[in-house]
Amino acid sequence: MKVNIIDNDLLSIQEARILAENAYEAHRKLAEFPQEKLDEIMECMAKEVSRHTRELAMMSVEETDYGRWQDKYIKNRFACEYLPAHIRDMKCVGVINIDHERQIVDVGVPMGVLVSLCPATSPVSTTVYSALIAIKSGNSIVFSPHPRAYNTICRVLDIMIEAAEGCGLPEGVLSYLPTVTKAGTRELMNHRATAMILNTGVPGMLEDAYRSGKPVIYGGTGNGPAFIERTADIRQAVRDIIASKTFDNGVVSAAEQSVVVDSCIDGEVRREFEANGAYFMTEEEADRLGKLFYFKDGSANPEMAGKTAKDLAKWAKISVPESTRLLIAEQKYVSENNPYSKEKLCPVLSYFIEDDWMHACEKCIELLLSERHGHTLVIHSNDRDVIHQFAIKKPVGRMLVNTPAVYGSMGATTNLFPAMTLGSGSAGKGITSDNVSPMNLIYIRKVGYGVRKIEDLGMGVPESVAAGECKRDDDGLLRLQRLLEEALASIK
């Protein structure tokens, strides 16, 4: 009896090669599209997928078992409606700026073929967002769907591909890997046609992305602290933190992971947390829950992500009130072996008390550096000097002031760019710490017009040039170099 055995790694590698090459050829056609046509296609994609935001939110929760579909629905609408409206008038390709006074023209040039890795925690909104900003900026993009959200991501992309190609997008510009394996994803990232890699919350493929030698935009793990300083509006600060940390059951990486509190307001802060559904665990209870976050080999337990506080308490055999929305573990030290020093993609917070803002500042730095990603920091304060000190000292990609971390970081309650990929800032993880926008997916060609003659520089003209000689004149070049250095020194 003959048995056919399919090697999925080989199949995935072959599919990756075909997709990358098709995306490269399709991009040559896309490069001729003006901004107006790119905008038309992007709007068509957004409009069509927005019809399915509720269905896709429910589908993603059913497939991944992460978070709440109601909150994913909000994120999906944010990507399908708010984002397109924000970038509608943005110019990304062709002439994007003219400085008439300085006689400089900026020309936006797409990077080419992008490879995108999206997380299972926010599969719909991140996929929609990545596709829209790629098309807006004139790039081809190939997705490697997350295995845990494979069906959802494929469904999203099928909707957008049909809409986009119906509106004139060349076939192959927007595509995804049908057979997903690590070998196939590596092939996509390493392929000669690939120009840039977008990795949003898939740390397991990060080292492979770096080894490809391509530019990597990484929206990594968060582990961001929130500091409640003594001058803060305590009631509002606590409500902001709870609303943010419980959104989608805590799966958003920008959400607060720890709260650092000024000691003189500790009692008031605790009472406010408890009044709004937070439960402060005993040391023993916190220890039982903490042991569930990681396996013995040190790897994170993915089943803890996106679960409710009551579900987590039940698993750890902790009796909590029916109204419990958030679990809090008081801690004293930040350490590599302390699960409460790390990112927790669920409604669980660590709680630190510090004597003053300077000690709180150091604690926040410890927390940010514990996983060395420097994602997001929040400060709740009305003291401008303290806010300023935090802003200039923290190794972080973004600092938010008096706002919920989830909503503020993605640009909903702040004027930051509305993004689902938030760059990290402390250790060179990726090429940008921005809220990633279409402008991060292009390079800018500078066109400079001559506005003065060599003679106008006041440095003289090398004799060999004045005489029309073409032979090398090392002495003349050295003299010119010295003159340039002197001129630059005088300008400074």
Side-chain angles (χ1 to χ4, degrees), residues 16-31:
R17 290 172 180 168
I18 293 170
L19 289 171
E21 288 162 9
N22 288 347
Y24 181 79
E25 290 302 318
H27 183 261
R28 296 173 67 178
K29 300 176 185 176
L30 191 69

Side-chain angles (χ1 to χ4, degrees), residues 124-324:
V124 178
S125 53
T126 308
T127 300
V128 171
Y129 151 83
S130 299
L132 293 183
I133 65 172
I135 300 305
K136 171 74 181 183
S137 54
N139 291 284
S140 289
I141 183 166
V142 184
F143 287 83
S144 176
H146 195 290
R148 186 160 180 155
Y150 177 83
N151 293 323
T152 302
I153 292 174
C154 292
R155 172 67 177 146
V156 176
L157 289 169
D158 285 339
I159 292 169
M160 290 194 291
I161 289 169
E162 183 177 358
E165 293 182 358
C167 196
L169 187 74
E171 184 178 354
V173 167
L174 180 58
S175 61
Y176 62 88
L177 196 61
T179 307
V180 180
T181 68
K182 286 188 175 182
T185 304
R186 289 190 197 102
E187 184 67 23
L188 267 182
M189 295 190 294
N190 284 289
H191 197 280
R192 65 183 183 280
T194 297
M196 177 182 279
I197 299 165
L198 307 180
N199 183 329
T200 305
V202 188
M205 296 301 297
L206 187 56
E207 290 305 318
D208 289 299
Y210 291 150
R211 282 194 288 268
S212 73
K214 310 294 173 63
V216 178
I217 290 178
Y218 180 55
T221 50
N223 204 37
F227 174 43
I228 305 179
E229 191 261 342
R230 64 189 64 188
T231 65
D233 180 336
I234 295 172
R235 185 182 184 195
Q236 187 62 52
V238 168
R239 290 187 175 192
D240 282 349
I241 291 168
I242 292 177
S244 176
K245 187 58 178 172
T246 58
F247 180 79
D248 207 8
N249 289 343
V251 299
V252 180
S253 63
E256 298 86 345
Q257 305 297 322
S258 303
V259 177
V260 181
V261 180
D262 225 334
S263 60
C264 62
I265 58 171
D266 169 48
E268 190 176 350
V269 170
R270 284 175 185 266
R271 288 191 294 272
E272 197 64 42
F273 266 114
E274 291 173 337
N276 285 275
Y279 176 81
F280 282 81
M281 295 179 285
T282 66
E283 186 175 343
E284 182 185 355
E285 290 171 337
D287 184 59
R288 286 206 304 271
L289 179 64
K291 289 177 180 177
L292 300 178
F293 280 111
Y294 292 90
F295 296 119
K296 290 182 179 180
D297 64 0
S299 61
N301 180 357
E303 300 311 316
M304 298 291 283
K307 302 302 186 293
T308 67
K310 287 189 289 186
D311 283 340
L312 295 171
K314 184 178 179 180
W315 290 352
K317 298 180 180 179
I318 302 170
S319 179
V320 299
E322 186 63 27
S323 60
T324 300

